[in-house]
Amino acid sequence: MFTLPPLPFAPEALEPHIDTQTMQIHHGKHHQAYVDNLNKLLPDKTEADLVNILANIESLPEGIRQGVKNHGGGHANHSLFWSLLSPTPSIPSPSLLSSITSTFGGLDAFKEQFTTKAMSVFGSGWTFLVKKPDGTLALKRHSFQNSPLMQGNTPLLALDVWEHAYYLKYQNRRAEYITAFWNVVNWSEVSRLFELSS
Ligand code: MN
């Protein structure tokens, strides 16, 4: 049984950057639907199995593989996304900042490159900062709900750029949504995931 994790903050906590109604619908309806559909596809599996299922997605029977990509990926991506948002300002840890700087040329340069990547997602998808198996950082653009775990990468930062993530407040103005996102990134959690994967 897979379950919807509670939001780690009140739905209105990210105002004005991410609005209350978007948070309520995104978490309570969209994420809940991924969880419900995943439970129909894998009724005997539990939350503890999710990472392994996604990491070995190609070993699933063909009849359910795409469904699990969509709904298992959707469940994992959204659970991660909520944990990476916070109303409390924070900064990257020294070791994460050092790695970001050596890879992207500094935190501001990283934000610019991440933003460019997120702007270039065509249709529904995500942008991720990942740590690759060789320990290096990289920016990734994923369509639909494909998870970095399916490629053997560890996601450290995620941004949902499906229209359901921003359309109520920002309509077609994805760039404004991305600018607002930087105000609510939980760098403490990104740093924790980075240390954990080291
Ligand atoms: Mn979403």
Side-chain angles (χ1 to χ4, degrees), residues 62-126:
E62 209 178 325
I64 60 167
R65 193 182 305 148
Q66 188 59 47
V68 175
K69 281 185 185 180
N70 295 345
H71 302 291
H75 178 33
N77 288 340
H78 286 85
S79 296
L80 174 73
F81 187 43
W82 312 138
S83 77
L84 296 170
L85 301 173
S86 171
T88 309
S90 57
I91 57 171
S93 68
S95 59
L96 173 61
L97 184 59
S98 163
S99 193
I100 284 177
T101 299
S102 63
T103 308
F104 303 103
L107 188 57
D108 287 341
F110 162 72
K111 288 180 182 177
E112 275 175 35
Q113 291 166 54
F114 186 100
T115 297
T116 300
K117 202 76 161 176
M119 285 302 294
S120 74
V121 173
F122 183 74
S124 297
W126 291 73

Side-chain angles (χ1 to χ4, degrees), residues 26 30-31 34 74 78 81-82 126 145 160-162 164-165:
H26 199 176
H30 289 275
H31 189 173
Y34 296 118
H78 286 85
F81 187 43
W82 312 138
W126 291 73
Q145 294 296 350
D160 188 343
V161 291
W162 283 55
H164 69 225

Side-chain angles (χ1 to χ4, degrees), residues 50-58 66 68-78 80 125-130 140-156 158 162:
L50 187 56
V51 168
N52 267 333
I53 290 167
L54 296 179
N56 298 288
I57 193 80
E58 298 305 328
Q66 188 59 47
V68 175
K69 281 185 185 180
N70 295 345
H71 302 291
H75 178 33
N77 288 340
H78 286 85
L80 174 73
W126 291 73
T127 301
F128 295 93
L129 170 68
V130 303
K140 295 284 179 183
R141 187 175 47 203
H142 285 231
S143 291
F144 312 116
Q145 294 296 350
N146 292 321
S147 159
L149 299 168
M150 296 171 193
Q151 299 184 344
N153 293 324
T154 304
L156 303 179
W162 283 55

Side-chain angles (χ1 to χ4, degrees), residues 14 16-19 115 118-119 159-161 165-184:
L14 305 182
H17 309 295
I18 301 179
D19 62 288
T115 297
M119 285 302 294
L159 178 59
D160 188 343
V161 291
Y166 61 87
Y167 208 83
L168 285 176
K169 181 178 173 77
Y170 296 100
Q171 292 84 50
N172 62 321
R173 304 186 305 277
R174 185 189 291 181
E176 284 182 33
Y177 162 67
I178 300 170
T179 299
F181 163 71
W182 294 119
N183 293 303
V184 292

